[in-house]
Amino acid sequence: MRFLHTADWHIGKQLHDYPLVTEQWDAFAQLVKIAQVQHVDAIVIAGDVYDRSMPSAQAVTMVNQMMRRLNLDLGYPLLVISGNHDSAERLGVGRSWFKDQHFYLNTQLSQAFTPVMIKDTQFFLLPYFTPHDARQYFHDDTLKTMAQAMQRIVAQMQAQFVDGAHHVLVSHFFASGSTRTAAETALEVGGLAAVPLDIMDCFDYVALGHLHNYQALHYPRMRYSGSLLKLSVAEAPQQKGVWIVDTDPMQMHFEPLQPLNDIKVLTGSFVELTTQPPVLPNDAFVDIELTDQQPIPDLMNRLRQTFPHQRLVAVHRQHGLQKLQPLDHHVTQHLSPVALLAQFYDDVMQQPLTKAQQTLAIHSLEQMQKEK
């Protein structure tokens, strides 16, 4: 058989307060087209369907529409598990009748030991779990680590293997030997240790979710699909897409997705970026790394004026802000308030007050004196 492996949709995600609804619908449309062109027999979604455990009403509606499109309209069997960002209870609502439509959704460890058979392949759907979940399920307090839990879980799954069939594990965790970004590390729940790779060697293919880079793991017949979208600036260089997996012979190839609105990382001085700004597509997400160290007045507003048709997500300093040196003179107490302001402004901004700023300061001072 042939199936499509995807994960980490993170529906409801925002990129620095910018909603990604339009971008997620576009990526989903590309996924649908790939599934149709590749004539897949099923679609695997390896966790983190939602971005948070309590998704918004808009996110829930969006997921429902996507699942309906794939399963009811197009007739694809769906093999779905919950990830660490999903709420098992909320995602699993309706599970009891989903299977009548060949929609197989596992959100509890206890459900992982009943395989789903499609054509020549047994799918074991193992949702995100913790060692505590394994201790409770097996009634075994010696299961302290993810490695110990996975050994017990895989052994019980192997007991269900059908001779002559192919065996696929769908799960959501950090596999030993994978590489991950700092953002993904920060999102990890519970600080779980990595799962050793050789524990899963009995499977013909392991479809993983959790890490957003499809190249995070290089191991025979074991892959992360990566996310459908670039969900952080750290992911800007990454190619996104889905895996197409064939079982006989067992082989896989990656199908790329093209971002509707890409993340553009710009590096340069403030003067360079504002006097000769690069030409960027409308609605692109822009992350700026400034080489300047000196303070820049009204920085964000001036950058937004330079890039009025793009979405400015963040501004960083490549070398940090310069530290202000202690004043090398004593401030006299006999200066007028406006003169004191002018001296302070010159010390901090390394430039004098303009005539307009002086006029504004004088006017404001007169207004305050009248109010008193």
Side-chain angles (χ1 to χ4, degrees):
M1 70 170 296
R2 169 176 285 189
F3 62 90
L4 184 151
H5 167 203
T6 180
D8 295 280
W9 289 10
H10 288 274
I11 302 301
K13 171 73 174 178
Q14 293 188 335
L15 180 58
H16 289 264
D17 298 327
Y18 292 107
L20 295 173
V21 174
T22 303
E23 289 76 13
Q24 287 174 325
W25 272 118
D26 180 79
F28 176 77
Q30 292 183 60
L31 180 150
V32 169
K33 185 174 181 180
I34 291 171
Q36 293 173 317
V37 170
Q38 294 293 327
H39 303 289
V40 301
D41 300 304
I43 293 176
V44 167
I45 307 176
D48 280 355
V49 178
Y50 290 110
D51 185 59
R52 57 185 61 189
S53 59
M54 297 186 67
S56 65
Q58 181 187 34
V60 172
T61 299
M62 190 171 173
V63 168
N64 289 343
Q65 290 173 342
M66 289 175 168
M67 298 301 178
R68 179 182 180 89
R69 174 65 175 155
L70 292 174
N71 182 240
L72 297 183
D73 297 346
L74 299 176
Y76 291 115
L78 297 183
L79 302 144
V80 186
I81 61 169
S82 54
N84 58 300
H85 279 244
D86 298 310
S87 164
E89 292 76 14
R90 288 177 173 81
L91 185 63
V93 171
R95 178 183 181 274
S96 58
W97 68 82
F98 285 168
K99 62 182 179 180
D100 295 334
Q101 301 295 331
H102 302 291
F103 182 173
Y104 306 97
L105 172 63
N106 282 3
T107 60
Q108 303 294 332
L109 175 59
S110 59
Q111 301 160 352
F113 304 102
T114 303
V116 176
M117 190 78 180
I118 301 178
K119 289 194 173 182
D120 66 349
T121 304
Q122 281 185 303
F123 290 89
F124 290 83
L125 309 182
L126 175 61
Y128 175 80
F129 72 96
T130 66
H132 174 73
D133 298 325
R135 287 194 294 272
Q136 286 194 316
Y137 176 78
F138 290 109
H139 304 289
D140 185 350
D141 290 337
T142 67
L143 301 177
K144 302 294 186 182
T145 68
M146 287 293 289
Q148 293 170 337
M150 279 299 296
Q151 284 181 322
R152 190 73 173 271
I153 289 168
V154 170
Q156 185 161 326
M157 289 178 172
Q158 278 188 282
Q160 311 297 320
F161 280 12
V162 172
D163 291 339
H166 295 95
H167 310 106
V168 173
L169 173 64
V170 180
S171 198
H172 191 96
F173 52 72
F174 176 55
S176 177
S178 305
T179 56
R180 54 183 172 179
T181 66
E184 289 164 338
T185 303
L187 293 174
E188 187 176 349
V189 173
L192 299 182
V195 175
L197 302 176
D198 56 359
I199 292 177
M200 299 166 282
D201 278 343
C202 58
F203 291 96
D204 295 290
Y205 182 77
V206 179
L208 291 172
H210 190 43
L211 300 188
H212 294 176
N213 186 355
Y214 84 99
Q215 294 182 318
L217 177 64
H218 299 279
Y219 195 76
R221 297 176 286 110
M222 190 179 300
R223 296 289 186 273
Y224 286 100
S225 73
S227 55
L228 286 183
L229 292 179
K230 300 175 183 182
L231 299 174
S232 69
V233 173
E235 298 177 26
Q238 296 177 9
Q239 175 65 62
K240 301 300 182 179
V242 299
W243 286 103
I244 302 297
V245 183
D246 289 292
T247 60
D248 192 13
M250 179 57 67
Q251 58 187 8
M252 62 212 73
H253 71 272
F254 189 76
E255 288 285 337
L257 299 175
Q258 301 305 317
L260 175 66
N261 298 307
D262 208 351
I263 299 175
K264 301 295 184 180
V265 179
L266 306 180
T267 302
S269 69
F270 179 78
V271 172
E272 291 170 344
L273 294 175
T274 53
T275 57
Q276 293 182 322
V279 178
L280 300 175
N282 288 350
D283 293 325
F285 299 97
V286 179
D287 180 85
I288 293 178
E289 188 173 66
L290 289 175
T291 56
D292 307 271
Q293 285 192 280
Q294 73 276 14
I296 300 172
D298 202 20
L299 173 62
M300 294 301 292
N301 283 334
R302 293 168 71 181
L303 286 174
R304 289 191 179 99
Q305 291 172 8
T306 303
F307 302 99
H309 304 296
Q310 288 73 40
R311 288 175 278 187
L312 190 59
V313 296
V315 177
H316 315 277
R317 298 279 185 160
Q318 193 174 56
H319 307 292
L321 274 170
Q322 65 185 11
K323 294 183 179 179
L324 295 177
Q325 298 299 320
L327 298 178
D328 58 2
H329 60 274
H330 297 287
V331 177
T332 174
Q333 297 183 3
H334 300 294
L335 292 177
S336 68
V338 176
L340 278 171
L341 173 62
Q343 180 174 289
F344 173 76
Y345 188 88
D346 187 73
D347 288 334
V348 173
M349 304 306 295
Q350 301 297 302
Q351 61 184 24
L353 283 172
T354 65
K355 290 184 178 180
Q357 289 171 325
Q358 291 181 31
T359 301
L360 177 61
I362 293 170
H363 177 73
S364 300
L365 181 61
E366 290 175 348
Q367 288 295 112
M368 287 187 290
Q369 290 173 338
K370 288 180 180 179
E371 291 172 1
K372 287 183 179 181

